[in-house]
Amino acid sequence: MNERDQELIVDLIDGRLSPQEERAALARLETDTELRAEYETQQMAASLLAEAPVPSMTADERSRLRAALKSELHLAPVVAPVAARPSKWRRWVAPIGSLAAAAAVLAGVFVVLPQSSSDTAQVAFDATTMAASAETTTAQNRDRGAETDTERLAEAPTAGGMDAPAEEPEEPTLDAAEPPAETFSASRSIPHVPAITLEEIAADVSALTKASESDEAGAEDGAAQDALVADCLTVLRDNASFVSVEPMATTTIGTSDALVVEVTPIEGELYYAAYAIDTCSELQNTKP
Amino acid sequence: MTARAEQDRELIRRYLTGDVDAFDELVRAHEDRIFAICLRMMQNRDEALDATQDVFLTVFRKADRYKEQAAFSTWLYRVAVNTCYDHLRRRKRKRADALPEHYDPADPRSGDALNAVELRPDIEAALAKLGPDFRSAIVLVDLEGMSLEGAADTLQVPIGTVKSRVFRARRQLAQELGNLAPGSEHPRDEP
């Protein structure tokens, strides 16, 4: 069966044919036994699926989802102010998030947070509490591709968000079962691969593991490189075009130390890209 | 444009000017459908919930990427499908890393996880065998009732590609379920 016949069957089942085209298609089915058998097969499969009940969230799942989103909404910024700020600033803030929080403690600054309960629009928090919170969540936020704590706290929306109980939630969140995130360390979590192309990675991701096994020593890039890699990942994860950015390896491209990442864009298909670790500028990619 | 699409545009405009309540309304309007898509894709309720959360967090943080040429829901479903692809890849890697030397996978036709998805277990098992590209096409078209054009917009592929994926996915499902009509048993490439 050729592609046109396949399309004809799909169009017929989906009701996309004009009355005239439909009559012609049905007439063909009368005489073409192979086409008819395929049509019946397709029709049966489509009907089975169409009759399936629509799954829905349970009350508990809905509550968990909203609690988790609410928890994030408290910390994350609304989009507009973020988009309006120069991205360069972000790169400076990322590595010094903890320092900024500590400075806030020293200065005794009071900062306005978003509502911490549903009936309180703005609550002033002692900066000491903020700093402690910032310290404990920085690693998690880096891992999730979120803003730094300093940014999040400073920019968090002041309007209400998801439904919430009157008291600050002890509700389970989607992340509750996750182990505490460790401080990012490129040398520990990303393999160093001495020589590999993005095409090789795209063709077979396990090539990374194989290549890195032969170069254990190459992983010892040190804390300075870890910080640059973490900073670059923060910038990339902030990129509004990406759903997610997964670090895959560090390598060398030309004369540059490079970070290889797997990018799931909001639009389009997954691709791999290499970024210069020191400048976080893109060197190569496998975009289709 | 439908009333829902108009409302969505208004809500996203309000949200982009700083009105977080508008985001709340968007979540309420779409959470069930996004969860349904994620559940069909992930076939596990906890993972589907996790993916649903990530979809809305992406929308929350990156809503300014939405361009009004398409309906907001089309963009949202695109984010959902790509988020599910991302979660499926991570799951695959995690499993590959964790596999014991003598891995003996459980029978996919049994288990609470499948029942919890609310499809017949044999259909669920057959869906699980489809590659992500084929599963997403059939989930959007046959399970979510999206038009072929809508699915093509959401998946960002030509409509011919959607038709081909739907055709092959339905065929494999029928094959897995033993529902091949007599005369259509000839071998084909499996998705």
Side-chain angles (χ1 to χ4, degrees), chain A residues 16 53 56 61 66 73 79-80 160-161 163 174 240 242 262 264 268 270, chain B residues 16 21 24 28 31 40 45 53 60 62 65 82 89 93 149 156 167:
Chain A
R16 289 169 44 87
S56 57
E61 287 166 341
R66 291 188 180 170
L73 286 173
V79 171
D163 273 354
L174 295 178
F242 303 156
E262 180 186 79
T264 304
L270 173 142
Chain B
L16 285 171
D21 285 342
D24 190 359
R28 288 167 186 276
E31 61 187 354
R40 301 302 198 198
R45 298 191 76 94
Q53 181 191 349
F60 181 74
K62 304 181 179 183
R65 288 295 300 174
N82 276 355
R89 271 193 302 274
R93 271 187 212 139
E149 287 90 347
Q156 291 189 292
F167 181 90

PDB file of all heavy atoms in Angstrom, chain A residues 16 53 56 61 66 73 79-80 160-161 163 174 240 242 262 264 268 270, chain B residues 16 21 24 28 31 40 45 53 60 62 65 82 89 93 149 156 167:
ATOM      1  N   ARG A  16     -12.135  13.916   6.864  1.00  0.00           N
ATOM      2  CA  ARG A  16     -11.555  15.093   6.214  1.00  0.00           C
ATOM      3  C   ARG A  16     -11.874  15.169   4.722  1.00  0.00           C
ATOM      4  O   ARG A  16     -11.473  16.134   4.065  1.00  0.00           O
ATOM      5  CB  ARG A  16     -10.029  15.077   6.372  1.00  0.00           C
ATOM      6  CG  ARG A  16      -9.546  15.352   7.787  1.00  0.00           C
ATOM      7  CD  ARG A  16      -8.074  15.058   7.911  1.00  0.00           C
ATOM      8  NE  ARG A  16      -7.292  15.565   6.797  1.00  0.00           N
ATOM      9  CZ  ARG A  16      -6.795  16.791   6.723  1.00  0.00           C
ATOM     10  NH1 ARG A  16      -7.006  17.638   7.695  1.00  0.00           N
ATOM     11  NH2 ARG A  16      -6.090  17.170   5.678  1.00  0.00           N
ATOM     12  N   PRO A  53     -12.091   6.127  28.220  1.00  0.00           N
ATOM     13  CA  PRO A  53     -12.465   7.239  29.097  1.00  0.00           C
ATOM     14  C   PRO A  53     -11.334   8.251  29.205  1.00  0.00           C
ATOM     15  O   PRO A  53     -10.163   7.885  29.097  1.00  0.00           O
ATOM     16  CB  PRO A  53     -12.714   6.565  30.452  1.00  0.00           C
ATOM     17  CG  PRO A  53     -11.974   5.278  30.387  1.00  0.00           C
ATOM     18  CD  PRO A  53     -11.936   4.867  28.946  1.00  0.00           C
ATOM     19  N   SER A  56      -8.717  11.624  34.486  1.00  0.00           N
ATOM     20  CA  SER A  56      -8.753  12.905  35.193  1.00  0.00           C
ATOM     21  C   SER A  56      -7.960  12.778  36.495  1.00  0.00           C
ATOM     22  O   SER A  56      -7.724  11.677  36.979  1.00  0.00           O
ATOM     23  CB  SER A  56     -10.190  13.315  35.479  1.00  0.00           C
ATOM     24  OG  SER A  56     -10.819  12.293  36.224  1.00  0.00           O
ATOM     25  N   GLU A  61      -4.479  14.377  43.743  1.00  0.00           N
ATOM     26  CA  GLU A  61      -3.499  14.780  42.728  1.00  0.00           C
ATOM     27  C   GLU A  61      -3.636  16.264  42.399  1.00  0.00           C
ATOM     28  O   GLU A  61      -2.634  16.971  42.236  1.00  0.00           O
ATOM     29  CB  GLU A  61      -3.684  13.928  41.463  1.00  0.00           C
ATOM     30  CG  GLU A  61      -3.192  12.501  41.633  1.00  0.00           C
ATOM     31  CD  GLU A  61      -3.660  11.566  40.542  1.00  0.00           C
ATOM     32  OE1 GLU A  61      -4.645  11.887  39.824  1.00  0.00           O
ATOM     33  OE2 GLU A  61      -3.070  10.477  40.407  1.00  0.00           O
ATOM     34  N   ARG A  66      -1.444  21.686  42.697  1.00  0.00           N
ATOM     35  CA  ARG A  66      -1.593  23.112  43.023  1.00  0.00           C
ATOM     36  C   ARG A  66      -0.665  23.528  44.149  1.00  0.00           C
ATOM     37  O   ARG A  66      -0.126  24.639  44.151  1.00  0.00           O
ATOM     38  CB  ARG A  66      -3.046  23.407  43.373  1.00  0.00           C
ATOM     39  CG  ARG A  66      -3.899  23.288  42.115  1.00  0.00           C
ATOM     40  CD  ARG A  66      -5.295  23.733  42.334  1.00  0.00           C
ATOM     41  NE  ARG A  66      -6.052  23.598  41.094  1.00  0.00           N
ATOM     42  CZ  ARG A  66      -7.347  23.739  41.026  1.00  0.00           C
ATOM     43  NH1 ARG A  66      -8.037  24.014  42.101  1.00  0.00           N
ATOM     44  NH2 ARG A  66      -7.967  23.613  39.865  1.00  0.00           N
ATOM     45  N   LEU A  73       5.368  29.286  42.776  1.00  0.00           N
ATOM     46  CA  LEU A  73       4.939  30.657  42.499  1.00  0.00           C
ATOM     47  C   LEU A  73       5.416  31.624  43.573  1.00  0.00           C
ATOM     48  O   LEU A  73       5.671  32.788  43.304  1.00  0.00           O
ATOM     49  CB  LEU A  73       3.410  30.729  42.411  1.00  0.00           C
ATOM     50  CG  LEU A  73       2.789  30.148  41.155  1.00  0.00           C
ATOM     51  CD1 LEU A  73       1.284  30.122  41.268  1.00  0.00           C
ATOM     52  CD2 LEU A  73       3.208  30.952  39.954  1.00  0.00           C
ATOM     53  N   VAL A  79       6.970  36.771  34.532  1.00  0.00           N
ATOM     54  CA  VAL A  79       7.821  36.792  33.354  1.00  0.00           C
ATOM     55  C   VAL A  79       8.226  38.193  32.924  1.00  0.00           C
ATOM     56  O   VAL A  79       9.381  38.444  32.629  1.00  0.00           O
ATOM     57  CB  VAL A  79       7.121  36.069  32.186  1.00  0.00           C
ATOM     58  CG1 VAL A  79       7.884  36.274  30.896  1.00  0.00           C
ATOM     59  CG2 VAL A  79       7.023  34.597  32.519  1.00  0.00           C
ATOM     60  N   ALA A  80       7.284  39.114  32.928  1.00  0.00           N
ATOM     61  CA  ALA A  80       7.556  40.409  32.314  1.00  0.00           C
ATOM     62  C   ALA A  80       8.790  41.117  32.884  1.00  0.00           C
ATOM     63  O   ALA A  80       9.653  41.535  32.125  1.00  0.00           O
ATOM     64  CB  ALA A  80       6.331  41.297  32.411  1.00  0.00           C
ATOM     65  N   GLY A 160      -1.853  37.202  44.609  1.00  0.00           N
ATOM     66  CA  GLY A 160      -2.145  35.833  45.008  1.00  0.00           C
ATOM     67  C   GLY A 160      -2.048  34.897  43.828  1.00  0.00           C
ATOM     68  O   GLY A 160      -2.078  35.302  42.685  1.00  0.00           O
ATOM     69  N   GLY A 161      -1.961  33.612  44.091  1.00  0.00           N
ATOM     70  CA  GLY A 161      -1.823  32.653  43.010  1.00  0.00           C
ATOM     71  C   GLY A 161      -2.769  31.500  43.171  1.00  0.00           C
ATOM     72  O   GLY A 161      -3.979  31.675  43.201  1.00  0.00           O
ATOM     73  N   ASP A 163      -4.878  28.322  44.680  1.00  0.00           N
ATOM     74  CA  ASP A 163      -5.645  28.112  45.903  1.00  0.00           C
ATOM     75  C   ASP A 163      -4.770  27.513  46.969  1.00  0.00           C
ATOM     76  O   ASP A 163      -3.939  26.684  46.701  1.00  0.00           O
ATOM     77  CB  ASP A 163      -6.788  27.129  45.626  1.00  0.00           C
ATOM     78  CG  ASP A 163      -7.990  27.885  45.116  1.00  0.00           C
ATOM     79  OD1 ASP A 163      -7.960  29.132  45.106  1.00  0.00           O
ATOM     80  OD2 ASP A 163      -8.930  27.219  44.715  1.00  0.00           O
ATOM     81  N   LEU A 174       5.026  17.882  45.009  1.00  0.00           N
ATOM     82  CA  LEU A 174       5.510  16.892  44.054  1.00  0.00           C
ATOM     83  C   LEU A 174       6.978  16.580  44.281  1.00  0.00           C
ATOM     84  O   LEU A 174       7.456  15.522  43.943  1.00  0.00           O
ATOM     85  CB  LEU A 174       5.312  17.397  42.631  1.00  0.00           C
ATOM     86  CG  LEU A 174       3.867  17.577  42.222  1.00  0.00           C
ATOM     87  CD1 LEU A 174       3.798  18.116  40.818  1.00  0.00           C
ATOM     88  CD2 LEU A 174       3.114  16.267  42.317  1.00  0.00           C
ATOM     89  N   ALA A 240      14.464  31.481  27.581  1.00  0.00           N
ATOM     90  CA  ALA A 240      13.008  31.336  27.441  1.00  0.00           C
ATOM     91  C   ALA A 240      12.608  30.364  26.338  1.00  0.00           C
ATOM     92  O   ALA A 240      11.462  29.965  26.251  1.00  0.00           O
ATOM     93  CB  ALA A 240      12.384  32.699  27.168  1.00  0.00           C
ATOM     94  N   PHE A 242      13.808  27.310  25.951  1.00  0.00           N
ATOM     95  CA  PHE A 242      14.071  25.913  26.284  1.00  0.00           C
ATOM     96  C   PHE A 242      13.117  25.386  27.344  1.00  0.00           C
ATOM     97  O   PHE A 242      12.854  26.051  28.342  1.00  0.00           O
ATOM     98  CB  PHE A 242      15.504  25.742  26.816  1.00  0.00           C
ATOM     99  CG  PHE A 242      16.588  26.218  25.874  1.00  0.00           C
ATOM    100  CD1 PHE A 242      17.834  26.597  26.364  1.00  0.00           C
ATOM    101  CD2 PHE A 242      16.375  26.275  24.500  1.00  0.00           C
ATOM    102  CE1 PHE A 242      18.839  27.032  25.517  1.00  0.00           C
ATOM    103  CE2 PHE A 242      17.372  26.711  23.639  1.00  0.00           C
ATOM    104  CZ  PHE A 242      18.611  27.094  24.149  1.00  0.00           C
ATOM    105  N   GLU A 262      22.194  18.772  26.242  1.00  0.00           N
ATOM    106  CA  GLU A 262      21.054  18.295  25.460  1.00  0.00           C
ATOM    107  C   GLU A 262      19.921  19.299  25.692  1.00  0.00           C
ATOM    108  O   GLU A 262      19.550  19.549  26.830  1.00  0.00           O
ATOM    109  CB  GLU A 262      20.638  16.914  25.969  1.00  0.00           C
ATOM    110  CG  GLU A 262      19.464  16.300  25.237  1.00  0.00           C
ATOM    111  CD  GLU A 262      19.031  15.001  25.903  1.00  0.00           C
ATOM    112  OE1 GLU A 262      18.332  15.066  26.943  1.00  0.00           O
ATOM    113  OE2 GLU A 262      19.409  13.936  25.411  1.00  0.00           O
ATOM    114  N   THR A 264      16.051  20.486  25.155  1.00  0.00           N
ATOM    115  CA  THR A 264      14.673  20.257  24.721  1.00  0.00           C
ATOM    116  C   THR A 264      14.050  21.631  24.556  1.00  0.00           C
ATOM    117  O   THR A 264      13.771  22.314  25.540  1.00  0.00           O
ATOM    118  CB  THR A 264      13.877  19.472  25.775  1.00  0.00           C
ATOM    119  OG1 THR A 264      14.565  18.252  26.060  1.00  0.00           O
ATOM    120  CG2 THR A 264      12.478  19.151  25.269  1.00  0.00           C
ATOM    121  N   GLY A 268      10.148  22.817  18.362  1.00  0.00           N
ATOM    122  CA  GLY A 268      11.114  22.056  17.601  1.00  0.00           C
ATOM    123  C   GLY A 268      11.584  20.830  18.365  1.00  0.00           C
ATOM    124  O   GLY A 268      11.101  20.533  19.444  1.00  0.00           O
ATOM    125  N   LEU A 270      14.475  17.983  19.914  1.00  0.00           N
ATOM    126  CA  LEU A 270      15.673  17.943  20.752  1.00  0.00           C
ATOM    127  C   LEU A 270      16.948  18.085  19.910  1.00  0.00           C
ATOM    128  O   LEU A 270      17.015  17.590  18.788  1.00  0.00           O
ATOM    129  CB  LEU A 270      15.701  16.600  21.475  1.00  0.00           C
ATOM    130  CG  LEU A 270      16.934  16.237  22.283  1.00  0.00           C
ATOM    131  CD1 LEU A 270      16.518  15.502  23.542  1.00  0.00           C
ATOM    132  CD2 LEU A 270      17.893  15.369  21.483  1.00  0.00           C
TER     133      LEU A 270
ATOM    134  N   LEU B  16       1.342  38.335  31.583  1.00  0.00           N
ATOM    135  CA  LEU B  16       2.606  38.934  31.157  1.00  0.00           C
ATOM    136  C   LEU B  16       2.772  40.368  31.660  1.00  0.00           C
ATOM    137  O   LEU B  16       3.874  40.915  31.629  1.00  0.00           O
ATOM    138  CB  LEU B  16       2.730  38.884  29.629  1.00  0.00           C
ATOM    139  CG  LEU B  16       3.070  37.498  29.078  1.00  0.00           C
ATOM    140  CD1 LEU B  16       2.960  37.469  27.555  1.00  0.00           C
ATOM    141  CD2 LEU B  16       4.459  37.050  29.501  1.00  0.00           C
ATOM    142  N   ASP B  21      -2.847  36.050  39.153  1.00  0.00           N
ATOM    143  CA  ASP B  21      -4.159  35.398  39.194  1.00  0.00           C
ATOM    144  C   ASP B  21      -4.536  34.859  37.811  1.00  0.00           C
ATOM    145  O   ASP B  21      -5.218  33.842  37.689  1.00  0.00           O
ATOM    146  CB  ASP B  21      -5.237  36.385  39.647  1.00  0.00           C
ATOM    147  CG  ASP B  21      -5.141  36.649  41.146  1.00  0.00           C
ATOM    148  OD1 ASP B  21      -4.503  35.831  41.852  1.00  0.00           O
ATOM    149  OD2 ASP B  21      -5.674  37.666  41.608  1.00  0.00           O
ATOM    150  N   ASP B  24      -3.129  31.529  37.406  1.00  0.00           N
ATOM    151  CA  ASP B  24      -3.960  30.594  38.169  1.00  0.00           C
ATOM    152  C   ASP B  24      -5.149  30.134  37.316  1.00  0.00           C
ATOM    153  O   ASP B  24      -5.458  28.947  37.225  1.00  0.00           O
ATOM    154  CB  ASP B  24      -4.435  31.329  39.433  1.00  0.00           C
ATOM    155  CG  ASP B  24      -5.110  30.416  40.436  1.00  0.00           C
ATOM    156  OD1 ASP B  24      -5.233  29.216  40.154  1.00  0.00           O
ATOM    157  OD2 ASP B  24      -5.515  30.913  41.491  1.00  0.00           O
ATOM    158  N   ARG B  28      -6.151  26.339  35.905  1.00  0.00           N
ATOM    159  CA  ARG B  28      -7.444  25.702  36.142  1.00  0.00           C
ATOM    160  C   ARG B  28      -8.123  25.303  34.831  1.00  0.00           C
ATOM    161  O   ARG B  28      -8.774  24.277  34.742  1.00  0.00           O
ATOM    162  CB  ARG B  28      -8.373  26.645  36.902  1.00  0.00           C
ATOM    163  CG  ARG B  28      -7.977  26.813  38.347  1.00  0.00           C
ATOM    164  CD  ARG B  28      -8.718  27.987  38.979  1.00  0.00           C
ATOM    165  NE  ARG B  28      -8.236  28.228  40.312  1.00  0.00           N
ATOM    166  CZ  ARG B  28      -8.676  27.573  41.384  1.00  0.00           C
ATOM    167  NH1 ARG B  28      -9.602  26.654  41.268  1.00  0.00           N
ATOM    168  NH2 ARG B  28      -8.179  27.832  42.564  1.00  0.00           N
ATOM    169  N   GLU B  31      -5.477  22.292  33.274  1.00  0.00           N
ATOM    170  CA  GLU B  31      -4.743  21.264  34.010  1.00  0.00           C
ATOM    171  C   GLU B  31      -5.244  19.845  33.711  1.00  0.00           C
ATOM    172  O   GLU B  31      -4.440  18.912  33.609  1.00  0.00           O
ATOM    173  CB  GLU B  31      -4.791  21.537  35.523  1.00  0.00           C
ATOM    174  CG  GLU B  31      -6.179  21.526  36.111  1.00  0.00           C
ATOM    175  CD  GLU B  31      -6.218  21.969  37.566  1.00  0.00           C
ATOM    176  OE1 GLU B  31      -5.155  22.191  38.177  1.00  0.00           O
ATOM    177  OE2 GLU B  31      -7.344  22.109  38.105  1.00  0.00           O
ATOM    178  N   ARG B  40      -1.230   9.821  29.288  1.00  0.00           N
ATOM    179  CA  ARG B  40      -1.173   8.932  28.123  1.00  0.00           C
ATOM    180  C   ARG B  40       0.268   8.747  27.645  1.00  0.00           C
ATOM    181  O   ARG B  40       0.630   7.701  27.144  1.00  0.00           O
ATOM    182  CB  ARG B  40      -1.981   9.512  26.958  1.00  0.00           C
ATOM    183  CG  ARG B  40      -3.451   9.762  27.227  1.00  0.00           C
ATOM    184  CD  ARG B  40      -4.189   8.541  27.654  1.00  0.00           C
ATOM    185  NE  ARG B  40      -5.627   8.708  27.503  1.00  0.00           N
ATOM    186  CZ  ARG B  40      -6.534   7.962  28.100  1.00  0.00           C
ATOM    187  NH1 ARG B  40      -6.162   6.998  28.905  1.00  0.00           N
ATOM    188  NH2 ARG B  40      -7.819   8.162  27.901  1.00  0.00           N
ATOM    189  N   ARG B  45       0.862   7.646  36.822  1.00  0.00           N
ATOM    190  CA  ARG B  45       0.189   8.836  37.337  1.00  0.00           C
ATOM    191  C   ARG B  45       1.151   9.808  38.023  1.00  0.00           C
ATOM    192  O   ARG B  45       1.052  11.021  37.843  1.00  0.00           O
ATOM    193  CB  ARG B  45      -0.935   8.444  38.305  1.00  0.00           C
ATOM    194  CG  ARG B  45      -2.033   7.616  37.661  1.00  0.00           C
ATOM    195  CD  ARG B  45      -3.233   7.495  38.582  1.00  0.00           C
ATOM    196  NE  ARG B  45      -4.016   8.711  38.602  1.00  0.00           N
ATOM    197  CZ  ARG B  45      -5.083   8.935  37.823  1.00  0.00           C
ATOM    198  NH1 ARG B  45      -5.483   8.021  36.988  1.00  0.00           N
ATOM    199  NH2 ARG B  45      -5.729  10.075  37.888  1.00  0.00           N
ATOM    200  N   GLN B  53       3.262  19.374  36.268  1.00  0.00           N
ATOM    201  CA  GLN B  53       3.841  20.476  37.044  1.00  0.00           C
ATOM    202  C   GLN B  53       4.912  21.198  36.219  1.00  0.00           C
ATOM    203  O   GLN B  53       4.925  22.436  36.151  1.00  0.00           O
ATOM    204  CB  GLN B  53       4.462  19.934  38.333  1.00  0.00           C
ATOM    205  CG  GLN B  53       5.074  21.029  39.203  1.00  0.00           C
ATOM    206  CD  GLN B  53       5.923  20.468  40.341  1.00  0.00           C
ATOM    207  OE1 GLN B  53       5.905  19.267  40.605  1.00  0.00           O
ATOM    208  NE2 GLN B  53       6.655  21.328  41.004  1.00  0.00           N
ATOM    209  N   PHE B  60       4.894  29.303  33.183  1.00  0.00           N
ATOM    210  CA  PHE B  60       5.025  30.401  34.142  1.00  0.00           C
ATOM    211  C   PHE B  60       6.298  31.208  33.880  1.00  0.00           C
ATOM    212  O   PHE B  60       6.285  32.433  33.911  1.00  0.00           O
ATOM    213  CB  PHE B  60       5.052  29.817  35.562  1.00  0.00           C
ATOM    214  CG  PHE B  60       5.152  30.846  36.648  1.00  0.00           C
ATOM    215  CD1 PHE B  60       4.059  31.630  36.971  1.00  0.00           C
ATOM    216  CD2 PHE B  60       6.326  31.025  37.347  1.00  0.00           C
ATOM    217  CE1 PHE B  60       4.140  32.584  37.975  1.00  0.00           C
ATOM    218  CE2 PHE B  60       6.420  31.969  38.353  1.00  0.00           C
ATOM    219  CZ  PHE B  60       5.323  32.752  38.668  1.00  0.00           C
ATOM    220  N   LYS B  62       8.280  31.043  31.087  1.00  0.00           N
ATOM    221  CA  LYS B  62       8.650  31.347  29.701  1.00  0.00           C
ATOM    222  C   LYS B  62       7.450  31.737  28.842  1.00  0.00           C
ATOM    223  O   LYS B  62       7.465  31.562  27.628  1.00  0.00           O
ATOM    224  CB  LYS B  62       9.396  30.152  29.119  1.00  0.00           C
ATOM    225  CG  LYS B  62      10.610  29.802  29.996  1.00  0.00           C
ATOM    226  CD  LYS B  62      11.440  28.649  29.522  1.00  0.00           C
ATOM    227  CE  LYS B  62      12.610  28.471  30.484  1.00  0.00           C
ATOM    228  NZ  LYS B  62      13.539  27.417  30.085  1.00  0.00           N
ATOM    229  N   ARG B  65       7.475  33.535  25.480  1.00  0.00           N
ATOM    230  CA  ARG B  65       7.803  32.874  24.214  1.00  0.00           C
ATOM    231  C   ARG B  65       6.548  32.622  23.379  1.00  0.00           C
ATOM    232  O   ARG B  65       6.648  32.316  22.197  1.00  0.00           O
ATOM    233  CB  ARG B  65       8.491  31.519  24.462  1.00  0.00           C
ATOM    234  CG  ARG B  65       9.892  31.621  24.973  1.00  0.00           C
ATOM    235  CD  ARG B  65      10.802  32.262  23.960  1.00  0.00           C
ATOM    236  NE  ARG B  65      10.855  31.493  22.724  1.00  0.00           N
ATOM    237  CZ  ARG B  65      11.489  31.896  21.638  1.00  0.00           C
ATOM    238  NH1 ARG B  65      12.087  33.062  21.613  1.00  0.00           N
ATOM    239  NH2 ARG B  65      11.530  31.139  20.567  1.00  0.00           N
ATOM    240  N   ASN B  82       6.664  18.144  24.489  1.00  0.00           N
ATOM    241  CA  ASN B  82       8.125  18.209  24.611  1.00  0.00           C
ATOM    242  C   ASN B  82       8.579  17.918  26.041  1.00  0.00           C
ATOM    243  O   ASN B  82       9.626  17.303  26.248  1.00  0.00           O
ATOM    244  CB  ASN B  82       8.641  19.574  24.147  1.00  0.00           C
ATOM    245  CG  ASN B  82       8.834  19.624  22.644  1.00  0.00           C
ATOM    246  OD1 ASN B  82       8.672  18.620  21.965  1.00  0.00           O
ATOM    247  ND2 ASN B  82       9.167  20.784  22.108  1.00  0.00           N
ATOM    248  N   ARG B  89      12.866  10.534  28.168  1.00  0.00           N
ATOM    249  CA  ARG B  89      14.315  10.323  27.961  1.00  0.00           C
ATOM    250  C   ARG B  89      15.015  10.141  29.290  1.00  0.00           C
ATOM    251  O   ARG B  89      15.871   9.283  29.445  1.00  0.00           O
ATOM    252  CB  ARG B  89      14.913  11.521  27.220  1.00  0.00           C
ATOM    253  CG  ARG B  89      14.874  11.399  25.712  1.00  0.00           C
ATOM    254  CD  ARG B  89      15.762  12.452  25.076  1.00  0.00           C
ATOM    255  NE  ARG B  89      15.375  13.791  25.453  1.00  0.00           N
ATOM    256  CZ  ARG B  89      14.448  14.513  24.840  1.00  0.00           C
ATOM    257  NH1 ARG B  89      13.808  14.011  23.817  1.00  0.00           N
ATOM    258  NH2 ARG B  89      14.159  15.725  25.244  1.00  0.00           N
ATOM    259  N   ARG B  93      17.082   6.872  30.597  1.00  0.00           N
ATOM    260  CA  ARG B  93      18.467   6.907  31.073  1.00  0.00           C
ATOM    261  C   ARG B  93      18.593   6.366  32.490  1.00  0.00           C
ATOM    262  O   ARG B  93      19.494   5.630  32.811  1.00  0.00           O
ATOM    263  CB  ARG B  93      18.983   8.345  31.054  1.00  0.00           C
ATOM    264  CG  ARG B  93      19.600   8.675  29.739  1.00  0.00           C
ATOM    265  CD  ARG B  93      20.250  10.031  29.804  1.00  0.00           C
ATOM    266  NE  ARG B  93      20.135  10.623  28.494  1.00  0.00           N
ATOM    267  CZ  ARG B  93      19.856  11.870  28.245  1.00  0.00           C
ATOM    268  NH1 ARG B  93      19.678  12.705  29.239  1.00  0.00           N
ATOM    269  NH2 ARG B  93      19.770  12.295  27.029  1.00  0.00           N
ATOM    270  N   GLU B 149      -4.726  18.605  11.674  1.00  0.00           N
ATOM    271  CA  GLU B 149      -4.024  19.899  11.556  1.00  0.00           C
ATOM    272  C   GLU B 149      -3.543  20.374  12.927  1.00  0.00           C
ATOM    273  O   GLU B 149      -2.425  20.871  13.065  1.00  0.00           O
ATOM    274  CB  GLU B 149      -4.944  20.979  10.968  1.00  0.00           C
ATOM    275  CG  GLU B 149      -5.236  20.826   9.486  1.00  0.00           C
ATOM    276  CD  GLU B 149      -6.476  19.974   9.247  1.00  0.00           C
ATOM    277  OE1 GLU B 149      -6.942  19.313  10.211  1.00  0.00           O
ATOM    278  OE2 GLU B 149      -6.963  19.950   8.114  1.00  0.00           O
ATOM    279  N   GLN B 156       4.582  20.245  15.459  1.00  0.00           N
ATOM    280  CA  GLN B 156       5.446  20.985  14.539  1.00  0.00           C
ATOM    281  C   GLN B 156       6.046  20.095  13.463  1.00  0.00           C
ATOM    282  O   GLN B 156       7.258  20.088  13.232  1.00  0.00           O
ATOM    283  CB  GLN B 156       6.550  21.699  15.313  1.00  0.00           C
ATOM    284  CG  GLN B 156       5.999  22.832  16.159  1.00  0.00           C
ATOM    285  CD  GLN B 156       7.101  23.667  16.748  1.00  0.00           C
ATOM    286  OE1 GLN B 156       7.835  23.179  17.604  1.00  0.00           O
ATOM    287  NE2 GLN B 156       7.245  24.888  16.291  1.00  0.00           N
ATOM    288  N   PHE B 167      -1.290   6.471  11.133  1.00  0.00           N
ATOM    289  CA  PHE B 167      -1.570   5.230  10.399  1.00  0.00           C
ATOM    290  C   PHE B 167      -0.747   4.077  10.968  1.00  0.00           C
ATOM    291  O   PHE B 167      -1.282   3.007  11.277  1.00  0.00           O
ATOM    292  CB  PHE B 167      -1.248   5.429   8.911  1.00  0.00           C
ATOM    293  CG  PHE B 167      -1.517   4.212   8.070  1.00  0.00           C
ATOM    294  CD1 PHE B 167      -2.757   4.020   7.475  1.00  0.00           C
ATOM    295  CD2 PHE B 167      -0.529   3.248   7.878  1.00  0.00           C
ATOM    296  CE1 PHE B 167      -3.004   2.895   6.706  1.00  0.00           C
ATOM    297  CE2 PHE B 167      -0.769   2.116   7.117  1.00  0.00           C
ATOM    298  CZ  PHE B 167      -2.014   1.937   6.519  1.00  0.00           C
TER     299      PHE B 167
END
